Amino acid sequence: MPVIKESDIFEGETALKKWSQSARELAHTAHSMDDLLTIYPKLSRREMAMAVRYSLYMLQLRAPGPGVEVRVAPFAAVKVLEGPKSDPHNLTPPDVIELEPDVWLRLVCGITNWSQEKDAGHISAMGIRDDLSSLLPLPIG
């Protein structure tokens, strides 16, 4: 099942741009790293879901493969990067990364970076490919 319906791609792109613009405005008023690590523009639940799903879709296009599962609960999960596939008995790949929606979108939009969020304890990652810093931020048109 795709992470986003083809008919929802434009809505997702629009939602991500809206989140990014709001986050950048908030980032300009940030006085510390702690301020940046708490940026979370408020969108409707549907807009948040579409922004997350669209950004995960873009990640899949950038790094296709079955090796790492990226979970952004409660909205979506995708498998990316080459590597061992999931065990046929439990369907979970050997590498799993879990993030909250606000953390994921800050990374996607370049508000914060992987090491900042990881050091703050905002990323749960296990496996040898537990770092997506080379893929983020994503280009936002």
Side-chain angles (χ1 to χ4, degrees), residues 65-87:
V68 178
E69 186 166 287
V70 180
R71 299 174 183 167
V72 183
F75 299 121
V78 295
K79 291 181 183 172
V80 297
L81 296 172
E82 290 302 321
K85 293 182 181 180
S86 56
D87 179 315

Side-chain angles (χ1 to χ4, degrees), residues 28-43:
H28 286 299
T29 64
H31 300 294
S32 68
M33 180 52 60
D34 287 341
D35 290 344
L36 289 176
L37 290 167
T38 59
I39 287 176
Y40 188 16
K42 302 298 182 201
L43 300 181

Side-chain angles (χ1 to χ4, degrees), residues 3-52:
V3 68
I4 191 169
K5 295 180 200 172
E6 189 173 333
S7 60
D8 290 337
I9 289 174
F10 179 75
E11 181 182 357
E13 181 180 21
T14 302
L16 181 58
K17 286 178 182 177
K18 181 178 179 180
W19 194 98
S20 179
Q21 180 179 2
S22 296
R24 289 182 195 292
E25 290 170 7
L26 292 170
H28 286 299
T29 64
H31 300 294
S32 68
M33 180 52 60
D34 287 341
D35 290 344
L36 289 176
L37 290 167
T38 59
I39 287 176
Y40 188 16
K42 302 298 182 201
L43 300 181
S44 72
R45 182 171 173 81
R46 177 158 178 95
E47 287 174 313
M48 281 296 291
M50 289 295 110
V52 167

Side-chain angles (χ1 to χ4, degrees), residues 77-100:
V78 295
K79 291 181 183 172
V80 297
L81 296 172
E82 290 302 321
K85 293 182 181 180
S86 56
D87 179 315
H89 299 290
N90 70 13
L91 301 179
T92 300
D95 299 292
V96 177
I97 298 171
E98 295 179 339
L99 311 98
E100 295 291 324

